[in-house]
Amino acid sequence: MMQITTTRGDRLLLLVIAVLVGTVIGVAVDRTALAQPPGIKRTILLRADDPANPAYEAVVGVAEISPGASAGRHRHFGIEVGYVLEGSVTVEPEGRPAATLTAGQAFKNDAGVHNAKNPGSMPTKILAVYIVEKGKPLAEPVP
């Protein structure tokens, strides 16, 4: 029977390789979980647990929509309230009339399916607050 011995250097090398592999896998999972349609950029500013319901969290972020871009039909696992900081946005909730909002106006999207698009020629910036289920994606595309 052959005995394999490892040195301290070998163990350190294995540890470094394991950390690098874990980092690469983590980045790939993060990029997949936070995938965004072209022309849409969501920047998360803050996450906070919902003290009344530990299954939910509040997420504050800024959504930027390029001119002519559309988020596509999607849903959130909770509600979204937003305030248009710059530009304009057309919100298209499924089963209800679309509404175009401009800077200074606020809106609420229930957990249903909706689309948001920038009908203008300048970028749109929205401050958004989501009260959503923990562990679920912030937005999920709907065909």
Side-chain angles (χ1 to χ4, degrees), residues 45-137:
L45 303 174
L46 176 72
R47 289 181 182 268
D49 291 342
D50 180 343
N53 187 343
Y56 282 78
E57 66 179 338
V59 181
V60 179
V62 173
E64 297 175 72
I65 309 173
S66 298
S70 171
R73 289 170 35 88
H74 66 282
R75 70 173 153 229
H76 306 283
F77 291 92
I79 67 165
E80 169 192 26
V81 291
Y83 179 79
V84 182
L85 297 167
E86 298 173 10
S88 62
V89 63
T90 299
V91 180
E92 303 170 331
E94 190 170 76
R96 295 194 317 252
T100 299
L101 306 161
T102 57
Q105 293 183 295
F107 62 91
K108 175 185 153 204
N109 283 319
D110 294 317
V113 175
H114 59 278
N115 182 27
K117 62 184 179 184
N118 180 345
S121 59
M122 61 182 276
T124 296
K125 191 178 280 188
I126 298 167
L127 177 64
V129 177
Y130 308 88
I131 308 296
V132 292
E133 290 181 57
K134 282 185 191 177
K136 300 269 176 108

